[in-house]
Amino acid sequence: MRSLPKLHGSDDPNAEKINLRWYEKKNDRYIDVKGAIGSTLLEVAHRNEIDLEGACEGSIACSTCHVILEPNIFDNLEEPTEDEEDMLDSAFGLTETSRLGCQVFVTKDMEGATIEMPVATRNFYVDGHVPKPH
């Protein structure tokens, strides 16, 4: 089983952190957390027990970590790779500001951003497999 790569700031308890707000559309609730700069949104979700699946564990082989970003955050990111775009094509509830959480790294300019999770995901990776955070 492949694990997420260790990234700058991701496991360091002294890493600079910012405030992020997650919106679970299916439960109509907000969850405020701290996210380490340099971590992926998928890592932040797993470390804070947010129900963002990530079935392929960050290998860009599924779209279960699909998130919807605020336009100003989306516009400041690098363009998605072709692999990410291919996976996004299969994402449920795709929007103009959709990205894969495993491909978006937390930066200072995301302070206070809201990350929306769609009401459902499509898991073509492994039926019933829900990875555990590392």
Side-chain angles (χ1 to χ4, degrees), residues 103-123:
Q103 299 302 301
V104 177
F105 292 89
V106 175
T107 61
K108 283 185 184 185
D109 65 330
M110 291 179 176
E111 172 65 40
T114 298
I115 296 99
E116 182 179 325
M117 298 185 310
V119 295
T121 63
R122 290 189 181 126
N123 185 349

Side-chain angles (χ1 to χ4, degrees), residues 25 66-68 88-98 116-122:
K25 196 169 189 171
H66 169 221
V67 294
I68 301 166
L88 283 168
D89 286 342
S90 66
F92 181 88
L94 189 65
T95 73
E96 290 183 9
T97 61
S98 290
E116 182 179 325
M117 298 185 310
V119 295
T121 63
R122 290 189 181 126

Side-chain angles (χ1 to χ4, degrees), residues 13-131:
N14 299 315
E16 185 176 355
K17 294 183 172 73
I18 62 164
N19 297 301
L20 294 169
R21 173 170 267 202
W22 293 78
Y23 177 57
E24 286 184 341
K25 196 169 189 171
K26 70 180 173 184
N27 297 319
D28 192 30
R29 74 176 180 141
Y30 290 91
I31 305 165
D32 294 317
V33 302
K34 298 276 188 191
I37 292 174
S39 296
T40 66
L41 290 178
L42 179 61
E43 291 171 320
V44 171
H46 285 183
R47 285 191 183 96
N48 288 282
E49 298 181 7
I50 292 171
D51 191 22
L52 186 64
E53 188 174 348
C56 74
E57 299 179 346
S59 64
I60 321 176
C62 74
S63 64
T64 61
C65 67
H66 169 221
V67 294
I68 301 166
L69 303 173
E70 297 171 326
N72 61 318
I73 300 298
F74 180 85
D75 291 342
N76 286 325
L77 297 174
E78 290 185 26
E79 293 292 319
T81 64
E82 189 174 328
D83 287 342
E84 182 180 358
E85 286 179 342
D86 288 346
M87 288 297 104
L88 283 168
D89 286 342
S90 66
F92 181 88
L94 189 65
T95 73
E96 290 183 9
T97 61
S98 290
R99 291 294 299 265
L100 296 181
C102 67
Q103 299 302 301
V104 177
F105 292 89
V106 175
T107 61
K108 283 185 184 185
D109 65 330
M110 291 179 176
E111 172 65 40
T114 298
I115 296 99
E116 182 179 325
M117 298 185 310
V119 295
T121 63
R122 290 189 181 126
N123 185 349
F124 298 116
Y125 183 63
V126 176
D127 237 2
H129 173 70
V130 178

